[in-house]
Amino acid sequence: MSVDTSPTPAEPHGSAETAARPFDVLGKTYEDTYAHLPAQLAALDWLLARLPERARVMDIGSGTGRPTAERIAAAGHAVTGYDVSRTMVELARTQVPAARFELADVRTLPDAPGTWDAITAFFPLLQMPRADLDATLARIADWLSPGGLFVFATVPFDAEDEPIQWMGQTIRSTSYPAEVFPRLLRRAGLEVVHERISVFHPDFPGMGEEEHLFIYAYKPGGPVVPAHALAGPYPLPASYRGPHELAQQGWVNMEARFERHDIEPVLAALSGNSRVLDVGGGSGAVVSALATRPGRVTTVEPHAAREESMRHLTARGVRVLSGRAEQLPVDDRSFDAAVATWVLHYTDDPEAAVAEMARAVDMSRPEAKVVLVQGAPDNELIGLWNRICAPLTGEAPDHQGYLLSRAAGVLARHGFTDLAFTRAHVDVVFPEDGPEARSQAAASALAAFWNTGHPRLADLREALLPELRAHFATGTDRFTDDAVLLVARPRPAR
């Protein structure tokens, strides 16, 4: 039996009842068809990397709650979804209990200037008359707080109230050509930073390819550096604790135990760059990976032994320089990107080091960026050091988020105001046979890695053992050493 979802003659174009009917019929089928839309998932990645901690997010046309509200709520944000379809709201409430969902037409919501840190709208405005569409985009701009983010998707075409067949339903649709939407958003007071057409072929009988327009925008003003959760935990320390010591032998003994999944996202972030400066080359793992691609790589390393260990890379076109991060031996604006992985906590002055990286990058280049990698707030190894080693050695606790937050502030002051924070997974593996052997190996390796030459090195090993034994007794052979990538770009000039 077929279901006729055509609007009755009495229903005006754009009524909430008309808009809801196809989705009441489709229900979960809509999610099954569109929930894994690659461009939408990429838009959510972009948004989550920039949201402040515990952001207030409105999801217009929230559907079944997946993937949008589910992913944003899972990241610790307060999400409120609005949809005209009762079926969709009921599904969303069941599937995503961490978010709030309301049955509402976005056009009837009360004015609430500056209420939301972000608003998402994935294809919800296609059944509105153009006058309502224009007014809704203007209200979205008003609802955003200064610095707030907007992610929008639609199907661009030049028609109003045009009947179309979609997923077996008859829908009266309205849109504009693709070039009109950025103009509408700018007129509303938003800055557009991304606009792209993608093509998607829904896996549904009888449907062909669809063109989708995705736009990312922000409202000027607000804090330049958001208090992102990955730059936590909060509150941040009042000052820098000072550098960690790093001995070559301690590093060499640990390096073979790392399972690093932080290098791939660094390479992805630098995929469009051809002149890359690596600061604190260390073992050369990142430099070696960069050297496999077209372009020129320069690395600066302050420690003679590690600098010498990278000399073989000169045969692959890498320039190896001796120097400190706080005073880089390179010319102004001589690179299109700079990267430092796990370096800032070994510097005397992290903010000076970041300022030097910003100085070295030519901001006029289309792919100009600075990429930093430091530890995640829930990094297990850093937590272990803070609990056991810091009290024993009399040192202040380590706080990697402080370094990232201060670095973001420096970069923003230098014009790198598009700041994105993302997580990368790293493990430290102890494959020895059995919990006790793993505990002993970890105690020796970690104590030497953190405190080579310390007069109480034996005491450090002994102090670590009880917690290591409890950890490995669970059956694991590893600690997580997760990282945070901070990617900073200049805002596109308009």
Side-chain angles (χ1 to χ4, degrees):
M1 182 180 71
S2 62
V3 178
D4 182 8
T5 63
S6 302
T8 65
E11 290 177 331
H13 169 45
S15 72
E17 295 76 15
T18 302
R21 188 175 289 107
F23 295 95
D24 284 338
V25 172
L26 290 168
K28 191 78 163 52
T29 303
Y30 176 76
E31 176 188 313
D32 295 340
T33 305
Y34 284 93
H36 303 290
L37 191 63
Q40 182 173 349
L41 299 178
L44 290 172
D45 288 342
W46 181 90
L47 180 69
L48 289 170
R50 290 160 178 81
L51 281 180
E53 187 183 32
R54 293 189 289 274
R56 300 156 301 169
V57 183
M58 174 194 285
D59 182 21
I60 300 172
S62 47
T64 67
R66 293 174 175 167
T68 303
E70 183 176 61
R71 286 196 58 192
I72 297 172
H77 304 296
V79 186
T80 302
Y82 296 100
D83 204 289
V84 295
S85 165
R86 186 176 300 278
T87 297
M88 291 296 191
V89 169
E90 291 172 354
L91 279 169
R93 287 172 175 169
T94 300
Q95 295 190 146
V96 190
R100 173 186 166 205
F101 298 94
E102 300 292 340
L103 182 68
D105 184 337
V106 70
R107 294 169 295 184
T108 67
L109 294 179
D111 289 331
T115 301
W116 302 95
D117 298 306
I119 297 176
T120 59
F122 293 109
F123 309 102
L125 310 184
L126 284 161
Q127 297 188 72
M128 291 182 181
R130 280 180 170 173
D132 288 353
L133 193 162
D134 297 357
T136 299
L137 291 178
R139 294 186 78 204
I140 285 169
D142 188 50
W143 288 333
L144 285 171
S145 61
L149 304 170
F150 180 45
V151 178
F152 173 65
T154 192
V155 179
F157 56 88
D158 189 7
E160 182 167 17
D161 194 16
E162 179 175 304
I164 64 169
Q165 292 298 310
W166 175 79
M167 294 190 74
Q169 319 297 312
T170 301
I171 296 177
R172 291 158 60 183
S173 297
T174 294
S175 189
Y176 285 110
E179 64 272 14
V180 173
F181 287 99
R183 292 205 299 266
L184 292 173
L185 293 177
R186 293 187 184 106
R187 187 185 306 162
L190 301 184
E191 292 289 333
V192 174
V193 297
H194 171 95
E195 49 188 285
R196 181 167 297 175
I197 296 284
S198 64
V199 176
F200 179 67
H201 193 151
D203 184 14
F204 190 89
M207 292 188 67
E209 290 184 341
E210 296 178 350
E211 268 198 353
H212 296 161
L213 171 65
F214 281 81
I215 296 178
Y216 312 161
Y218 74 99
K219 186 171 184 176
V224 175
V225 180
H228 197 281
L230 289 177
Y234 296 92
L236 300 176
S239 61
Y240 179 41
R241 66 173 295 283
H244 285 274
E245 296 294 327
L246 178 61
Q248 177 71 4
Q249 193 55 50
W251 172 258
V252 168
N253 291 340
M254 278 288 290
E255 186 176 17
R257 297 183 179 273
F258 285 113
E259 283 187 2
R260 295 186 63 174
H261 302 284
D262 58 328
I263 295 178
E264 294 93 335
V266 168
L267 295 178
L270 298 171
S271 61
N273 297 100
S274 59
R275 290 182 294 153
V276 179
L277 171 65
D278 173 87
V279 177
S283 65
V286 173
V287 180
S288 296
L290 288 169
T292 63
R293 310 176 322 160
R296 182 72 182 270
V297 181
T298 298
T299 185
V300 177
E301 171 57 52
H303 297 93
R306 287 194 286 278
E307 179 195 343
E308 188 59 35
S309 72
M310 289 189 290
R311 287 289 170 192
H312 70 282
L313 294 172
T314 58
R316 295 163 58 185
V318 175
R319 185 168 58 144
V320 181
L321 302 177
S322 176
R324 298 172 62 246
E326 297 92 334
Q327 196 170 3
L328 294 171
V330 298
D331 294 334
D332 293 357
R333 299 181 297 279
S334 50
F335 300 89
D336 62 4
V339 58
T341 59
W342 302 95
V343 167
L344 295 183
H345 55 299
Y346 295 120
T347 63
D348 294 324
D349 188 340
E351 293 186 48
V354 175
E356 278 288 274
M357 295 173 70
R359 173 187 67 80
V361 174
D362 181 357
M363 292 178 61
S364 70
R365 303 278 293 186
E367 288 291 331
K369 62 179 69 76
V370 175
V371 180
L372 301 173
V373 177
Q374 295 295 145
D378 53 354
N379 182 297
E380 287 186 338
L381 284 189
I382 294 169
L384 184 66
W385 190 92
N386 285 340
R387 289 191 302 275
I388 306 297
C389 298
L392 192 61
T393 61
E395 296 183 55
D398 191 7
H399 197 299
Q400 299 278 297
Y402 169 87
L403 296 172
L404 287 169
S405 180
R406 301 296 290 186
V410 171
L411 290 166
R413 290 194 295 274
H414 283 78
F416 293 85
T417 54
D418 182 4
L419 303 165
F421 297 82
T422 54
R423 178 187 291 270
H425 189 61
V426 181
D427 279 333
V428 181
V429 182
F430 296 90
E432 284 76 9
D433 188 13
E436 182 61 24
R438 291 170 186 164
S439 300
Q440 294 289 342
S444 296
L446 292 172
F449 179 50
W450 289 327
N451 297 94
T452 296
H454 195 279
R456 299 190 64 183
L457 192 60
D459 294 338
L460 289 170
R461 286 196 298 267
E462 290 302 312
L464 285 165
L465 276 171
E467 192 160 336
L468 293 174
R469 285 172 175 142
H471 180 80
F472 290 117
T474 64
T476 186
D477 65 349
R478 64 196 57 215
F479 277 91
T480 62
D481 191 26
D482 279 5
V484 174
L485 271 71
L486 168 58
V487 180
R489 301 174 176 88
R491 295 278 189 195
R494 291 291 178 187

